[in-house]
Amino acid sequence: MIRSARCLLSGVTSRSGRRRCSIARTGSAFCPRRALALFGLLFGALVLWTPPGAAQTGRTAPVLLIDGAIGPATSDYVVGGLERAAEENAPLVVIRMDTPGGLDSAMRGIIRAILRSPVPVVTYVSPSGARAASAGTYILYASHVAAMTPGTNLGAATPVQIGGGNPFAPPQQEKDKDGKDEAAPAAGAAEAKAINDAVAYIRSLAELRGRDADWGEAAVRTAASLSASAALERNVIDLVARDTDDLLEQLHGRTVVAGGKEVTLDTRNLVLAEVAPDWRARFLGTITDPNVALILMMIGVYGLLFEFMNPGALYPGTIGAICLLTGLYAFAVLPVNYAGLALILLGIALMAAEAFSPSFGILGIGGFVAFVLGAAILIDTDVPQFRIAWPVLGAVALASLAMTVVIARLALVSHRRKVVSGREEMVGAEGTVLDWKDGAGHVFVHSERWRARGPGGLAAGAPVRVTALDGLTLEVEPIDMDAAAPPAAAR
């Protein structure tokens, strides 16, 4: 049997037309037909082979993970995942969520993607101990199906603005004429505008999905929160599931409206597959960390500064330009306080001015103070994960201060040193007379021949000192006064 297979692969045919085996005893040469047949057998085996545990039906649903604060990277990852699920005609998408909140722009980007998705989106707050606070509450309200696992909570969806009182203080409660608690009036027009906008937004989502709009408004105005079971009773969520198997079992047969069409969920033999963030989402998540963005921007500024101070170095300028543009891109997608950004730019300008026109520390110290104040108020958000950490701010500020001190010290030392180049260096230089007549002639200074003027009677070879420079003519005086003979003696 084995020999027959070998003969088949050898592809050697006798003159009579019969296939014969002619495997050389000393070794067989390469045969293209044999290699092609072997490749075909291997390819067929790979096609027919099914990995152990793979679903024969091929029905899988992607699982997107929201773990931590919601930012630009999270929005890019979720929106991309929903678009791919629509392209692949996935039966549904599960968003497993555990978040303390996030940026308003990132949250709205995710919600827009959910609302226009033709694939049903199931948001599942899991595991036990997880939460869907602030921005997570809005995403739950926007989802086609909202689910939670026991031991989780949602709520506290009040927008908090920096600069409007204590951002960490809970909303004040007042008593109305009936003795019921109600939210205190907003501290200012900007805060009232933000809260009213958030209330209208969450009520519109609740009406779209048929959920409790009154509790959604309470979550915004009074930072109300609910446990999983209480949320189910209040019709805030659709179901409570112990795990993903229980979730799929309860989802089976449920009808939702996605993409303007009614879709009946069929979750039998459905396999959930987690979709990890790709390199782009991970890279975006790294650079949109305000601490990383600040460090990148400072590396860029100092790289360009060193390049300007040492033209032609190339490395500082190239690295600095890349880091500066990357840092500015990160700040472009973050909620930046423009007053803080202006202070940072002013501080950088003052420190750069210290390098090019030394003021012995005045400009540098002013730039340091402006930079620290600007960095402290740069990010305008109440989400702790998107604030600049004080240790990072302190390290960058100390590095900037040390750079300023070094530049100021170099300027002070240079000011005290003797000039060694340029026109000023010629004053005081010594040379010898080459030829002289009637108070003018030529002198030899710094290995060069110069025109010179000076007292009359200087002899060739007499040592002289430069006292001034008039264009390309030197004013000289004799070092040895005896070298200049008086005119009477000359006569």
Side-chain angles (χ1 to χ4, degrees):
M1 180 68 180
I2 296 176
R3 182 173 179 83
S4 299
R6 295 174 67 186
C7 291
L8 176 64
L9 293 178
S10 64
V12 180
T13 308
S14 64
R15 292 182 179 179
S16 60
R18 295 182 180 180
R19 187 176 298 273
R20 63 182 178 84
C21 179
S22 60
I23 301 175
R25 297 174 182 174
T26 58
S28 59
F30 173 75
C31 178
R33 292 183 179 180
R34 182 189 308 174
L36 184 60
L38 181 60
F39 175 80
L41 290 175
L42 292 176
F43 181 78
L46 290 175
V47 170
L48 296 176
W49 178 69
T50 301
Q56 297 296 329
T57 60
R59 298 181 67 247
T60 61
V63 178
L64 306 177
L65 307 177
I66 298 180
D67 188 7
I70 298 173
T74 310
S75 177
D76 181 81
Y77 159 64
V78 174
V79 171
L82 293 177
E83 292 176 351
R84 286 190 296 272
E87 294 173 357
E88 298 170 358
N89 294 320
L92 57 87
V93 176
V94 176
I95 299 178
R96 193 164 64 198
M97 184 165 56
D98 178 13
T99 178
L103 304 181
D104 179 75
S105 58
M107 173 199 74
R108 289 178 182 263
I110 293 174
I111 291 177
R112 284 194 295 269
I114 292 174
L115 296 181
R116 67 171 179 261
S117 173
V119 178
V121 177
V122 179
T123 300
Y124 182 39
V125 183
S126 177
S128 294
R131 55 179 170 167
S134 190
T137 302
Y138 294 85
I139 294 175
L140 265 180
Y141 264 78
S143 301
H144 300 94
V145 179
M148 300 176 70
T149 196
T152 57
N153 66 282
L154 81 161
T158 304
V160 181
Q161 300 294 328
I162 300 297
N166 181 8
F168 302 100
Q172 298 289 332
Q173 299 291 324
E174 293 182 352
K175 299 292 184 179
D176 61 10
K177 61 182 181 180
D178 297 327
K180 297 180 179 180
D181 290 338
E182 64 176 7
E191 184 177 351
K193 181 179 179 180
I195 291 179
N196 290 334
D197 178 71
V199 167
Y201 191 45
I202 201 168
R203 289 191 73 92
S204 67
L205 296 175
E207 293 168 1
L208 179 66
R209 301 304 185 199
R211 300 196 173 102
D212 191 337
D214 293 334
W215 184 88
E217 180 173 350
V220 174
R221 294 193 181 278
T222 65
S225 297
L226 286 176
S227 64
S229 57
L232 183 62
E233 293 177 1
R234 291 289 302 266
N235 191 31
V236 173
I237 62 174
D238 300 301
L239 53 92
V240 175
R242 297 184 304 274
D243 49 33
T244 53
D245 293 337
D246 188 20
L247 175 67
L248 293 178
E249 183 178 351
Q250 295 189 52
L251 288 175
H252 182 68
R254 182 181 291 269
T255 301
V256 297
V257 177
K261 299 179 181 179
E262 286 193 356
V263 179
T264 301
L265 302 180
D266 181 8
T267 59
R268 291 174 300 181
N269 300 321
L270 188 65
V271 177
L272 298 181
E274 291 188 3
V275 178
D278 57 9
W279 69 269
R280 184 179 183 275
R282 292 194 297 269
F283 175 72
L284 186 61
T286 300
I287 65 172
T288 52
D289 184 329
N291 301 290
V292 176
L294 179 63
I295 293 173
L296 287 174
M297 188 176 69
M298 294 311 300
I299 292 175
V301 169
Y302 284 124
L304 295 179
L305 181 62
F306 290 149
E307 182 67 28
F308 293 147
M309 294 174 65
N310 302 276
L314 298 181
Y315 288 102
T318 303
I319 297 174
I322 294 173
C323 291
L324 181 60
L325 292 176
T326 305
L328 292 178
Y329 169 76
F331 283 127
V333 298
L334 290 171
V336 174
N337 185 327
Y338 291 103
L341 183 60
L343 283 171
I344 288 180
L345 295 177
L346 175 62
I348 293 173
L350 291 176
M351 287 185 284
E354 179 68 36
F356 290 99
S357 56
S359 63
F360 307 106
I362 301 301
L363 293 176
I365 294 175
F368 166 76
V369 174
F371 175 80
V372 172
L373 292 177
I377 63 173
L378 178 62
I379 303 299
D380 187 8
T381 179
D382 61 308
V383 182
Q385 289 82 354
F386 289 99
R387 294 177 185 166
I388 296 178
W390 283 107
V392 174
L393 177 58
V396 173
L398 288 177
S400 301
L401 181 61
M403 186 67 62
T404 303
V405 170
V406 169
I407 293 175
R409 183 177 181 276
L410 291 176
L412 184 61
V413 172
S414 299
H415 182 72
R416 293 177 177 176
R417 287 179 178 174
K418 181 181 177 181
V419 180
V420 295
S421 63
R423 294 174 55 90
E424 293 78 6
E425 188 272 337
M426 291 295 295
V427 178
E430 297 180 356
T432 56
V433 177
L434 295 177
D435 57 79
W436 201 261
K437 183 180 180 180
D438 297 332
H442 295 88
V443 297
F444 192 73
V445 179
H446 287 333
S447 303
E448 293 180 333
R449 186 173 180 266
W450 294 81
R451 289 195 302 269
R453 294 193 301 263
L458 289 176
V464 292
R465 179 183 295 110
V466 179
T467 59
L469 185 64
D470 182 13
L472 296 178
T473 302
L474 304 180
E475 298 284 346
V476 298
E477 64 179 7
I479 296 176
D480 185 3
M481 297 306 297
D482 295 336
R491 287 192 298 268

